[in-house]
Amino acid sequence: MSEAFTKSMARNIFYGGSLFFILLFLALTFDTHGTFPERTNTENLTEQVAHGKEVWEENNCTGCHTLHGEGSFFAPELGNVYTRRGPEFIKSWIKAQPTGAPGRRQMPNFDLTEEELDALVAFLKWADEMDTAGWPPNVEG
């Protein structure tokens, strides 16, 4: 076997395989970037949505929640919370925290202003309208 498989052959397989996977990686990257505008709902990005994302990040919401599968799994996935609960429920829920319900994890009260709540709801609505290819896999996240 060693007589038929030379160092030169191994090097050629390595270089050929590496080139193949680099080209495959580049093709998949270009294809993915080409679908971003239609999948990410960019036409609905507003100043309020951007502010909502700032509120999301400043309060470290991903420290407990996930959004489209990214973040911590301590609290529910919020990728489709706008569809599940609606804007008024989301705002009321955030204002009512912590609920003090025994035996349940408690979300802190962040003392968000009405403007910050509206912006956060706008951000969650925008995130909800993204094409996530079926994520989250069930209605309750």
Side-chain angles (χ1 to χ4, degrees):
M1 180 76 182
S2 64
E3 298 148 3
F5 193 72
T6 64
K7 285 183 178 179
S8 175
M9 292 172 72
R11 184 176 46 239
N12 289 339
I13 290 172
F14 171 77
Y15 287 134
S18 296
L19 180 62
F20 171 77
F21 284 107
I22 288 170
L23 291 174
L24 180 63
F25 174 77
L26 290 174
L28 291 173
T29 300
F30 286 122
D31 180 60
T32 300
H33 280 268
T35 63
F36 279 168
E38 63 191 57
R39 296 189 68 190
T40 59
N41 194 17
T42 54
E43 68 276 2
N44 292 331
L45 274 175
T46 62
E47 290 291 323
Q48 189 180 35
V49 170
H51 181 55
K53 186 170 189 309
E54 289 172 7
V55 171
W56 173 268
E57 290 174 348
E58 289 170 358
N59 292 289
N60 190 27
C61 297
T62 56
C64 295
H65 294 276
T66 55
L67 186 65
H68 300 159
E70 291 200 22
S72 301
F73 291 92
F74 185 71
E77 159 70 34
L78 297 180
N80 63 355
V81 70
Y82 190 86
T83 299
R84 286 187 287 137
R85 304 290 187 238
E88 293 308 314
F89 179 90
I90 295 168
K91 289 168 49 176
S92 298
W93 179 259
I94 293 171
K95 287 180 192 175
Q97 298 304 315
T99 61
R104 303 229 21 196
R105 292 175 284 196
Q106 301 293 308
M107 181 173 148
N109 190 319
F110 293 104
D111 294 320
L112 300 178
T113 65
E114 279 298 318
E115 179 192 358
E116 290 171 325
L117 284 169
D118 289 338
L120 186 57
V121 167
F123 171 67
L124 291 172
K125 180 179 186 289
W126 173 79
D128 194 335
E129 293 172 345
M130 291 176 69
D131 178 4
T132 58
W135 187 268
N138 60 54
V139 174
E140 288 299 320

